[in-house]
Amino acid sequence: MEWDLLRTFEAVARLGSLTAASKALGVSQSTVSRHLARLEEIAGSPLLLRESPPRLTERGTSLLAAVQPMVDAALAARSALEDTPDLHGEVTLTTVGEMVRWELTPRLPEFYRAFPHLRLRILAENRVSSLAAGEADVALRMVRPERGELVARKVYTASYAFFAASSLELHPEVPWLGLTGSLAGITEQRYADRAFATRPPRLLVEDVESLGLAVQAGLGVAILPRGFAARLDEVVEVPPQRIGAQISDRIPSRDVWMVVHRSKQHVPRVRAVMGWLGGMTRAPGSGA
């Protein structure tokens, strides 16, 4: 059986669309469709139901389980060929945009002084890029992965508190601000929903940076990462009892994890980036 057919099937199943798979594989969407049709012809039955997103049939689920070790092995083989002590080439790092702006970008001069011949490719997005499929070499994530051939190491812990502009008059009914969209379900926002359950938010935004700027502008109080709040002008931490927050426990902290596929962890240039990331001992804000 042709490897390209299996690789295409795995990409569609993992990424959830023919379009995304075609971009990841660097082929046309018609090629992806042709590969799937050929594979299903060999199988003698459908493997994917053409829904949005595509849904695996029972045989498709079985095939995906069989193909995944092959994908991992192919990645390991490629890593073995790349395993040289000469620190040249490119490393792809994926994380959220706030992490890039607040923590990584200021430290890039230090990185390039240490590794002048390495190239960094940074994907700043909320979507979790697949380390197993080789879309990225290293990831910074707010959740420790539970499955797959991934190795995770905690880089630091981000702590949170209520913040307001120093000019804002505090009282039990002060307006509060929060997160929405892709961040509506994160721990901090769920905590804020409970803390201010008796009154609706004045403003909801879809990224932590905008939330912090709204707090700085005096629009209300919000839960922010302490590291990020320290970068804002005239923004101070405020006690929950002064703003009418109904809480019975502390705001949970969040661990930031550096994650790499097991097959990549010993590639010298990847290890160099991992060592650089491991020096992030400060706790800046987190956005996802």
Side-chain angles (χ1 to χ4, degrees):
M1 186 177 296
E2 295 179 37
W3 166 243
D4 283 349
L5 305 184
L6 297 174
R7 185 179 64 161
T8 298
F9 167 75
E10 188 276 338
V12 173
R14 171 170 46 84
L15 298 174
S17 77
L18 274 65
T19 301
S22 69
K23 290 180 179 178
L25 297 173
V27 300
S28 68
Q29 190 168 332
S30 62
T31 297
V32 172
S33 297
R34 188 168 63 253
H35 284 183
L36 290 178
R38 174 59 181 153
L39 192 60
E40 290 180 327
E41 180 183 346
I42 294 171
S45 66
L47 300 171
L48 285 162
L49 299 180
R50 303 317 196 256
E51 301 176 357
S52 184
R55 185 160 57 89
L56 290 172
T57 64
E58 185 174 347
R59 291 199 71 187
T61 300
S62 298
L63 178 61
L64 181 62
V67 168
Q68 191 59 60
M70 298 171 64
V71 174
D72 293 345
L75 185 61
R78 187 173 69 184
S79 296
L81 294 175
E82 297 172 347
D83 192 3
T84 68
D86 194 13
L87 295 182
H88 288 74
E90 182 177 88
V91 177
T92 299
L93 167 66
T94 178
T95 187
V96 294
E98 288 88 350
M99 186 73 72
V100 176
R101 293 188 292 274
W102 304 342
E103 178 64 19
L104 299 182
T105 300
R107 297 182 64 232
L108 285 176
E110 164 199 323
F111 174 83
Y112 286 114
R113 282 195 297 271
F115 309 108
H117 301 299
L118 283 184
R119 302 188 308 276
L120 271 182
R121 176 173 172 259
I122 300 178
L123 306 178
E125 54 190 2
N126 285 330
R127 183 182 73 87
V128 177
S129 296
S130 175
L131 297 174
E135 294 176 2
D137 299 305
V138 186
L140 285 177
R141 295 181 178 170
M142 308 301 167
V143 178
R144 185 175 188 172
E146 299 294 334
R147 299 182 303 170
E149 292 294 307
L150 302 177
V151 178
R153 188 175 88 193
K154 186 168 73 172
V155 179
Y156 65 80
T157 298
S159 62
Y160 295 77
F162 293 99
F163 288 90
S166 57
S167 59
L168 184 67
E169 181 181 352
L170 301 181
H171 55 82
E173 295 297 322
V174 66
W176 70 279
L177 321 174
L179 296 165
T180 189
S182 62
L183 301 185
I186 66 173
T187 303
E188 307 87 81
Q189 182 56 32
R190 294 199 306 268
Y191 189 95
D193 288 334
R194 295 194 304 271
F196 300 113
T198 59
R199 60 189 193 268
R202 168 181 270 186
L203 174 69
L204 295 174
V205 295
E206 200 175 8
D207 67 277
V208 178
E209 197 156 15
S210 296
L211 182 63
L213 293 175
V215 169
Q216 182 176 266
L219 296 181
V221 301
I223 295 175
L224 294 174
R226 284 191 171 96
F228 171 49
R231 304 169 188 262
L232 300 172
D233 295 329
E234 304 297 325
V235 169
V236 296
E237 186 171 335
V238 297
Q241 60 269 23
R242 291 193 61 193
I243 56 176
Q246 305 298 312
I247 62 171
S248 58
D249 54 355
R250 299 181 63 179
I251 304 173
S253 59
R254 301 185 70 190
D255 294 331
V256 177
W257 297 89
M258 177 171 59
V259 186
V260 62
H261 194 273
R262 196 175 303 278
S263 66
K264 287 270 189 174
Q265 65 177 327
H266 299 302
V267 175
R269 67 173 180 270
V270 175
R271 289 187 64 82
V273 174
M274 292 170 62
W276 174 63
L277 294 174
M280 294 168 54
T281 55
R282 285 190 301 112
S286 61

